[in-house]
Amino acid sequence: MPIRRITKHGERVLKTPCPPLDYAAFKNELPALLKDMWATMAAARGVGLAAPQIGLSLRIAVIDVKPEGKPRRIVLINPEILSLEGELNDEEGCLSLPGVYAKLRRHARARVRALDENGVSREVSGEGLLARALQHETDHLDGKLYIDRLSFEDRLKALDAIKDAKPSWD
Ligand code: NI
């Protein structure tokens, strides 16, 4: 089943920090899982997807923000943020909160170290949308949604928007 159901705000798995992944123990299952994650992300027209969003508490996320319109697939296993710089206040959304958007201040540049799909440790740097995605997906693996980072007032607005959007969620 390549396209998986995406978990939504309110489901426990999204609030649960994922334990570090034992790459050696998991590597045989990884190709099939990543295939499903890419397919699920593409079908939902997302730019990133973390394993808890398909109901799995695994420290794995995928990102493709398509710089210059071309695919650039990034797999993050056990990502660790090395540095964050600058500020960028931009609109953010999440496949687990369909129809809900809010302006959120994030760092404008991010550098992350993670294992790739072959178990090789790599550094990924990005700015703008990629920096935002690196922060957003790492948050998912720590059991955090972007609305958790909003100010009290903006979170109340987001919760109202969630109430309106929820009836159309699966
Ligand atoms: Ni998300």
Side-chain angles (χ1 to χ4, degrees), residues 63-114:
I63 292 175
D64 189 352
V65 299
K66 296 186 177 58
E68 284 125 46
K70 292 191 198 108
R72 184 194 166 198
R73 288 179 163 195
I74 298 170
V75 173
L76 302 170
I77 299 169
N78 298 334
E80 238 182 286
I81 292 185
L82 300 177
S83 67
L84 296 168
E85 287 171 0
E87 267 192 12
L88 194 60
N89 192 21
D90 217 339
E91 189 156 85
E92 193 151 322
C94 178
L95 296 177
S96 294
L97 287 151
V100 179
Y101 300 90
K103 280 231 171 187
L104 176 62
R105 198 176 298 279
R106 291 266 196 193
H107 293 280
R109 291 176 296 283
R111 203 155 58 86
V112 169
R113 192 206 313 277

Short mmCIF file of all heavy atoms in Angstrom, two decimals, residues 63-114:
data_model
loop_
_atom_site.label_atom_id
_atom_site.label_comp_id
_atom_site.label_asym_id
_atom_site.label_seq_id
_atom_site.Cartn_x
_atom_site.Cartn_y
_atom_site.Cartn_z
N ILE A 63 12.11 15.22 2.75
CA ILE A 63 11.86 16.60 2.33
C ILE A 63 12.16 16.71 0.84
O ILE A 63 13.16 16.15 0.36
CB ILE A 63 12.78 17.59 3.09
CG1 ILE A 63 12.41 17.66 4.58
CG2 ILE A 63 12.73 18.98 2.46
CD1 ILE A 63 13.36 18.52 5.41
N ASP A 64 11.32 17.41 0.13
CA ASP A 64 11.66 17.83 -1.23
C ASP A 64 10.98 19.17 -1.49
O ASP A 64 9.79 19.22 -1.77
CB ASP A 64 11.24 16.80 -2.28
CG ASP A 64 11.81 17.15 -3.65
OD1 ASP A 64 12.38 18.25 -3.79
OD2 ASP A 64 11.69 16.33 -4.57
N VAL A 65 11.75 20.25 -1.38
CA VAL A 65 11.16 21.58 -1.61
C VAL A 65 11.35 21.99 -3.07
O VAL A 65 11.03 23.12 -3.44
CB VAL A 65 11.74 22.66 -0.66
CG1 VAL A 65 11.44 22.29 0.79
CG2 VAL A 65 13.22 22.86 -0.88
N LYS A 66 11.89 21.08 -3.90
CA LYS A 66 12.04 21.32 -5.34
C LYS A 66 12.67 22.67 -5.67
O LYS A 66 12.03 23.54 -6.27
CB LYS A 66 10.68 21.18 -6.05
CG LYS A 66 10.11 19.78 -5.95
CD LYS A 66 8.86 19.63 -6.77
CE LYS A 66 8.34 18.21 -6.73
NZ LYS A 66 8.06 17.74 -5.35
N PRO A 67 13.94 22.84 -5.28
CA PRO A 67 14.60 24.10 -5.61
C PRO A 67 14.66 24.26 -7.13
O PRO A 67 14.97 23.31 -7.85
CB PRO A 67 16.00 23.94 -5.01
CG PRO A 67 16.19 22.47 -4.78
CD PRO A 67 14.82 21.89 -4.61
N GLU A 68 14.36 25.42 -7.62
CA GLU A 68 14.29 25.71 -9.06
C GLU A 68 13.39 24.74 -9.80
O GLU A 68 13.64 24.40 -10.96
CB GLU A 68 15.70 25.73 -9.69
CG GLU A 68 16.49 26.97 -9.37
CD GLU A 68 17.83 26.63 -8.75
OE1 GLU A 68 18.51 25.75 -9.28
OE2 GLU A 68 18.18 27.25 -7.72
N GLY A 69 12.35 24.27 -9.11
CA GLY A 69 11.37 23.41 -9.76
C GLY A 69 11.82 21.99 -10.01
O GLY A 69 11.07 21.18 -10.54
N LYS A 70 13.07 21.68 -9.61
CA LYS A 70 13.57 20.31 -9.84
C LYS A 70 13.57 19.53 -8.53
O LYS A 70 13.85 20.08 -7.48
CB LYS A 70 14.99 20.36 -10.39
CG LYS A 70 15.05 20.93 -11.79
CD LYS A 70 16.44 20.71 -12.39
CE LYS A 70 16.68 21.62 -13.56
NZ LYS A 70 17.65 22.69 -13.27
N PRO A 71 13.26 18.22 -8.62
CA PRO A 71 13.25 17.44 -7.39
C PRO A 71 14.65 17.39 -6.75
O PRO A 71 15.66 17.31 -7.45
CB PRO A 71 12.85 16.03 -7.85
CG PRO A 71 12.35 16.16 -9.25
CD PRO A 71 12.93 17.42 -9.81
N ARG A 72 14.68 17.51 -5.45
CA ARG A 72 15.91 17.23 -4.70
C ARG A 72 15.48 16.52 -3.41
O ARG A 72 15.07 17.15 -2.44
CB ARG A 72 16.67 18.51 -4.35
CG ARG A 72 17.99 18.21 -3.64
CD ARG A 72 18.61 19.44 -2.99
NE ARG A 72 19.67 19.03 -2.07
CZ ARG A 72 20.15 19.82 -1.11
NH1 ARG A 72 19.69 21.03 -0.94
NH2 ARG A 72 21.09 19.38 -0.29
N ARG A 73 15.51 15.21 -3.48
CA ARG A 73 15.00 14.41 -2.37
C ARG A 73 16.01 14.32 -1.24
O ARG A 73 17.17 13.95 -1.46
CB ARG A 73 14.66 13.01 -2.86
CG ARG A 73 13.43 12.98 -3.73
CD ARG A 73 13.18 11.56 -4.20
NE ARG A 73 11.82 11.42 -4.69
CZ ARG A 73 11.24 10.24 -4.90
NH1 ARG A 73 11.90 9.12 -4.66
NH2 ARG A 73 10.00 10.18 -5.35
N ILE A 74 15.57 14.67 -0.06
CA ILE A 74 16.43 14.60 1.12
C ILE A 74 15.80 13.64 2.13
O ILE A 74 14.62 13.79 2.48
CB ILE A 74 16.59 16.00 1.76
CG1 ILE A 74 17.26 16.95 0.77
CG2 ILE A 74 17.36 15.92 3.06
CD1 ILE A 74 17.24 18.41 1.21
N VAL A 75 16.56 12.65 2.53
CA VAL A 75 16.11 11.71 3.57
C VAL A 75 16.85 12.06 4.85
O VAL A 75 18.07 12.22 4.84
CB VAL A 75 16.40 10.25 3.17
CG1 VAL A 75 16.10 9.30 4.32
CG2 VAL A 75 15.61 9.86 1.92
N LEU A 76 16.13 12.20 5.93
CA LEU A 76 16.73 12.52 7.22
C LEU A 76 16.42 11.40 8.20
O LEU A 76 15.26 11.17 8.54
CB LEU A 76 16.16 13.83 7.78
CG LEU A 76 16.28 15.10 6.93
CD1 LEU A 76 15.44 16.21 7.55
CD2 LEU A 76 17.74 15.54 6.83
N ILE A 77 17.47 10.72 8.64
CA ILE A 77 17.30 9.70 9.69
C ILE A 77 18.09 10.18 10.90
O ILE A 77 19.27 10.54 10.76
CB ILE A 77 17.81 8.33 9.19
CG1 ILE A 77 16.99 7.89 7.97
CG2 ILE A 77 17.74 7.29 10.31
CD1 ILE A 77 17.57 6.68 7.25
N ASN A 78 17.45 10.20 12.04
CA ASN A 78 18.07 10.71 13.28
C ASN A 78 18.67 12.10 13.10
O ASN A 78 19.83 12.33 13.45
CB ASN A 78 19.15 9.73 13.79
CG ASN A 78 18.59 8.38 14.14
OD1 ASN A 78 17.41 8.24 14.47
ND2 ASN A 78 19.43 7.35 14.07
N PRO A 79 17.92 13.04 12.53
CA PRO A 79 18.51 14.37 12.29
C PRO A 79 18.82 15.11 13.59
O PRO A 79 18.12 14.94 14.58
CB PRO A 79 17.41 15.10 11.51
CG PRO A 79 16.15 14.43 11.91
CD PRO A 79 16.51 12.98 12.13
N GLU A 80 19.88 15.88 13.50
CA GLU A 80 20.36 16.68 14.64
C GLU A 80 20.61 18.06 14.10
O GLU A 80 21.32 18.21 13.10
CB GLU A 80 21.74 16.12 15.00
CG GLU A 80 21.96 15.62 16.38
CD GLU A 80 23.43 15.20 16.43
OE1 GLU A 80 23.76 14.13 15.85
OE2 GLU A 80 24.23 15.96 16.99
N ILE A 81 20.06 19.06 14.73
CA ILE A 81 20.30 20.42 14.26
C ILE A 81 21.66 20.89 14.74
O ILE A 81 21.97 20.83 15.93
CB ILE A 81 19.16 21.36 14.71
CG1 ILE A 81 17.89 20.95 13.95
CG2 ILE A 81 19.52 22.83 14.45
CD1 ILE A 81 16.69 21.81 14.16
N LEU A 82 22.50 21.32 13.80
CA LEU A 82 23.86 21.77 14.14
C LEU A 82 23.88 23.27 14.37
O LEU A 82 24.56 23.75 15.26
CB LEU A 82 24.84 21.40 13.03
CG LEU A 82 24.99 19.92 12.71
CD1 LEU A 82 25.95 19.73 11.53
CD2 LEU A 82 25.51 19.15 13.91
N SER A 83 23.17 24.00 13.51
CA SER A 83 23.13 25.45 13.71
C SER A 83 21.88 26.05 13.07
O SER A 83 21.36 25.52 12.09
CB SER A 83 24.38 26.12 13.14
OG SER A 83 24.40 26.00 11.75
N LEU A 84 21.45 27.15 13.66
CA LEU A 84 20.29 27.90 13.18
C LEU A 84 20.68 29.36 13.19
O LEU A 84 21.25 29.84 14.17
CB LEU A 84 19.09 27.68 14.10
CG LEU A 84 18.52 26.27 14.18
CD1 LEU A 84 17.54 26.16 15.35
CD2 LEU A 84 17.85 25.87 12.88
N GLU A 85 20.38 30.06 12.10
CA GLU A 85 20.75 31.47 12.02
C GLU A 85 19.65 32.29 11.36
O GLU A 85 18.90 31.78 10.54
CB GLU A 85 22.02 31.64 11.16
CG GLU A 85 23.27 31.18 11.84
CD GLU A 85 24.45 31.16 10.87
OE1 GLU A 85 24.26 31.51 9.69
OE2 GLU A 85 25.54 30.79 11.31
N GLY A 86 19.64 33.56 11.71
CA GLY A 86 18.72 34.49 11.06
C GLY A 86 17.27 34.27 11.47
O GLY A 86 16.97 33.41 12.30
N GLU A 87 16.41 35.07 10.88
CA GLU A 87 14.98 34.97 11.19
C GLU A 87 14.20 35.16 9.93
O GLU A 87 14.57 35.94 9.05
CB GLU A 87 14.58 36.09 12.16
CG GLU A 87 14.65 35.69 13.60
CD GLU A 87 13.98 36.70 14.52
OE1 GLU A 87 13.27 37.60 14.02
OE2 GLU A 87 14.19 36.59 15.73
N LEU A 88 13.08 34.44 9.83
CA LEU A 88 12.20 34.58 8.69
C LEU A 88 10.78 34.32 9.17
O LEU A 88 10.48 33.25 9.72
CB LEU A 88 12.60 33.56 7.61
CG LEU A 88 12.00 33.77 6.23
CD1 LEU A 88 12.40 35.11 5.64
CD2 LEU A 88 12.47 32.65 5.30
N ASN A 89 9.94 35.34 9.00
CA ASN A 89 8.54 35.20 9.41
C ASN A 89 7.72 34.89 8.16
O ASN A 89 7.60 35.73 7.28
CB ASN A 89 8.08 36.52 10.06
CG ASN A 89 6.76 36.37 10.78
OD1 ASN A 89 6.36 35.26 11.15
ND2 ASN A 89 6.07 37.47 10.98
N ASP A 90 7.23 33.67 8.08
CA ASP A 90 6.55 33.26 6.85
C ASP A 90 5.39 32.34 7.22
O ASP A 90 5.31 31.82 8.33
CB ASP A 90 7.54 32.53 5.95
CG ASP A 90 7.31 32.85 4.48
OD1 ASP A 90 6.20 33.30 4.13
OD2 ASP A 90 8.25 32.66 3.69
N GLU A 91 4.53 32.15 6.22
CA GLU A 91 3.36 31.31 6.46
C GLU A 91 3.79 29.83 6.49
O GLU A 91 4.62 29.40 5.70
CB GLU A 91 2.35 31.53 5.35
CG GLU A 91 1.03 30.86 5.65
CD GLU A 91 -0.11 31.53 4.89
OE1 GLU A 91 -0.31 31.16 3.73
OE2 GLU A 91 -0.76 32.41 5.47
N GLU A 92 3.21 29.09 7.42
CA GLU A 92 3.55 27.68 7.54
C GLU A 92 2.28 26.85 7.56
O GLU A 92 1.22 27.30 8.01
CB GLU A 92 4.37 27.46 8.82
CG GLU A 92 5.03 26.10 8.88
CD GLU A 92 6.32 26.10 9.69
OE1 GLU A 92 7.10 27.08 9.62
OE2 GLU A 92 6.57 25.11 10.39
N GLY A 93 2.37 25.65 7.03
CA GLY A 93 1.26 24.70 7.06
C GLY A 93 1.81 23.32 7.34
O GLY A 93 3.02 23.15 7.49
N CYS A 94 0.93 22.35 7.44
CA CYS A 94 1.36 20.99 7.76
C CYS A 94 0.31 20.02 7.24
O CYS A 94 -0.89 20.28 7.36
CB CYS A 94 1.49 20.85 9.28
SG CYS A 94 1.97 19.20 9.81
N LEU A 95 0.76 18.91 6.66
CA LEU A 95 -0.19 17.92 6.13
C LEU A 95 -1.06 17.32 7.24
O LEU A 95 -2.12 16.78 6.95
CB LEU A 95 0.55 16.81 5.39
CG LEU A 95 1.33 17.25 4.13
CD1 LEU A 95 2.07 16.06 3.53
CD2 LEU A 95 0.41 17.88 3.10
N SER A 96 -0.62 17.44 8.47
CA SER A 96 -1.42 16.93 9.59
C SER A 96 -2.41 17.96 10.12
O SER A 96 -3.16 17.68 11.06
CB SER A 96 -0.49 16.47 10.72
OG SER A 96 0.27 15.35 10.29
N LEU A 97 -2.40 19.15 9.51
CA LEU A 97 -3.35 20.22 9.86
C LEU A 97 -3.91 20.80 8.56
O LEU A 97 -3.69 21.98 8.26
CB LEU A 97 -2.62 21.32 10.63
CG LEU A 97 -2.24 21.01 12.06
CD1 LEU A 97 -1.00 21.77 12.48
CD2 LEU A 97 -3.39 21.37 12.98
N PRO A 98 -4.60 19.98 7.77
CA PRO A 98 -5.02 20.47 6.46
C PRO A 98 -5.94 21.68 6.56
O PRO A 98 -6.85 21.71 7.39
CB PRO A 98 -5.77 19.28 5.84
CG PRO A 98 -5.71 18.16 6.81
CD PRO A 98 -5.02 18.61 8.05
N GLY A 99 -5.66 22.67 5.73
CA GLY A 99 -6.50 23.87 5.69
C GLY A 99 -6.17 24.90 6.76
O GLY A 99 -6.86 25.91 6.87
N VAL A 100 -5.13 24.65 7.54
CA VAL A 100 -4.77 25.57 8.62
C VAL A 100 -3.37 26.14 8.34
O VAL A 100 -2.42 25.38 8.13
CB VAL A 100 -4.77 24.84 9.99
CG1 VAL A 100 -4.37 25.79 11.11
CG2 VAL A 100 -6.13 24.23 10.26
N TYR A 101 -3.28 27.46 8.31
CA TYR A 101 -2.00 28.11 8.03
C TYR A 101 -1.81 29.24 9.04
O TYR A 101 -2.78 29.85 9.49
CB TYR A 101 -1.97 28.68 6.61
CG TYR A 101 -2.15 27.61 5.57
CD1 TYR A 101 -3.43 27.26 5.13
CD2 TYR A 101 -1.06 26.90 5.08
CE1 TYR A 101 -3.61 26.23 4.20
CE2 TYR A 101 -1.23 25.89 4.16
CZ TYR A 101 -2.50 25.56 3.72
OH TYR A 101 -2.67 24.54 2.83
N ALA A 102 -0.56 29.50 9.36
CA ALA A 102 -0.28 30.63 10.25
C ALA A 102 1.12 31.13 9.98
O ALA A 102 2.00 30.38 9.55
CB ALA A 102 -0.39 30.18 11.71
N LYS A 103 1.31 32.42 10.22
CA LYS A 103 2.65 32.99 10.11
C LYS A 103 3.44 32.54 11.33
O LYS A 103 2.97 32.64 12.46
CB LYS A 103 2.57 34.52 10.09
CG LYS A 103 2.21 35.04 8.72
CD LYS A 103 3.20 36.13 8.32
CE LYS A 103 2.98 36.51 6.86
NZ LYS A 103 4.04 37.42 6.40
N LEU A 104 4.64 32.05 11.06
CA LEU A 104 5.49 31.59 12.16
C LEU A 104 6.93 32.03 11.92
O LEU A 104 7.48 31.83 10.84
CB LEU A 104 5.41 30.06 12.26
CG LEU A 104 6.32 29.42 13.32
CD1 LEU A 104 5.98 29.89 14.73
CD2 LEU A 104 6.24 27.90 13.24
N ARG A 105 7.51 32.63 12.96
CA ARG A 105 8.91 33.06 12.86
C ARG A 105 9.81 31.83 13.04
O ARG A 105 9.71 31.12 14.05
CB ARG A 105 9.19 34.08 13.96
CG ARG A 105 10.41 34.91 13.75
CD ARG A 105 10.53 35.96 14.85
NE ARG A 105 9.41 36.89 14.85
CZ ARG A 105 9.30 37.94 14.04
NH1 ARG A 105 10.26 38.19 13.18
NH2 ARG A 105 8.26 38.72 14.08
N ARG A 106 10.64 31.58 12.06
CA ARG A 106 11.61 30.48 12.13
C ARG A 106 12.98 31.05 11.80
O ARG A 106 13.10 32.18 11.34
CB ARG A 106 11.29 29.42 11.06
CG ARG A 106 10.03 28.63 11.27
CD ARG A 106 10.30 27.34 11.99
NE ARG A 106 9.19 26.42 11.88
CZ ARG A 106 9.09 25.33 12.62
NH1 ARG A 106 10.01 25.03 13.51
NH2 ARG A 106 8.05 24.53 12.49
N HIS A 107 13.98 30.21 11.97
CA HIS A 107 15.32 30.64 11.53
C HIS A 107 15.41 30.55 10.01
O HIS A 107 14.84 29.66 9.39
CB HIS A 107 16.38 29.77 12.19
CG HIS A 107 16.45 29.99 13.67
ND1 HIS A 107 17.10 31.07 14.22
CD2 HIS A 107 15.90 29.30 14.69
CE1 HIS A 107 16.96 31.02 15.53
NE2 HIS A 107 16.24 29.96 15.85
N ALA A 108 16.14 31.50 9.44
CA ALA A 108 16.22 31.61 7.98
C ALA A 108 17.21 30.62 7.38
O ALA A 108 17.13 30.29 6.20
CB ALA A 108 16.63 33.04 7.60
N ARG A 109 18.17 30.17 8.19
CA ARG A 109 19.15 29.19 7.71
C ARG A 109 19.30 28.08 8.74
O ARG A 109 19.29 28.35 9.96
CB ARG A 109 20.52 29.86 7.48
CG ARG A 109 20.53 30.83 6.30
CD ARG A 109 21.85 31.56 6.15
NE ARG A 109 22.14 32.42 7.30
CZ ARG A 109 21.58 33.61 7.50
NH1 ARG A 109 20.69 34.08 6.64
NH2 ARG A 109 21.87 34.32 8.57
N ALA A 110 19.43 26.86 8.24
CA ALA A 110 19.58 25.72 9.14
C ALA A 110 20.61 24.75 8.59
O ALA A 110 20.73 24.57 7.38
CB ALA A 110 18.24 25.01 9.31
N ARG A 111 21.36 24.17 9.51
CA ARG A 111 22.32 23.13 9.15
C ARG A 111 22.02 21.91 10.03
O ARG A 111 21.91 22.05 11.26
CB ARG A 111 23.75 23.63 9.38
CG ARG A 111 24.81 22.91 8.56
CD ARG A 111 26.03 23.84 8.38
NE ARG A 111 26.55 24.23 9.69
CZ ARG A 111 27.44 23.50 10.39
NH1 ARG A 111 27.93 22.38 9.91
NH2 ARG A 111 27.85 23.91 11.58
N VAL A 112 21.84 20.76 9.38
CA VAL A 112 21.41 19.56 10.08
C VAL A 112 22.35 18.42 9.73
O VAL A 112 22.83 18.34 8.59
CB VAL A 112 19.96 19.22 9.63
CG1 VAL A 112 19.53 17.84 10.11
CG2 VAL A 112 18.97 20.27 10.14
N ARG A 113 22.63 17.55 10.68
CA ARG A 113 23.36 16.33 10.37
C ARG A 113 22.38 15.17 10.53
O ARG A 113 21.62 15.11 11.50
CB ARG A 113 24.54 16.14 11.32
CG ARG A 113 25.50 15.03 10.86
CD ARG A 113 26.27 14.39 11.99
NE ARG A 113 26.85 15.38 12.90
CZ ARG A 113 28.01 16.01 12.69
NH1 ARG A 113 28.70 15.77 11.62
NH2 ARG A 113 28.47 16.87 13.58
N ALA A 114 22.41 14.24 9.56
CA ALA A 114 21.49 13.10 9.61
C ALA A 114 22.09 11.96 8.81
O ALA A 114 22.98 12.16 7.98
CB ALA A 114 20.14 13.49 9.01
#
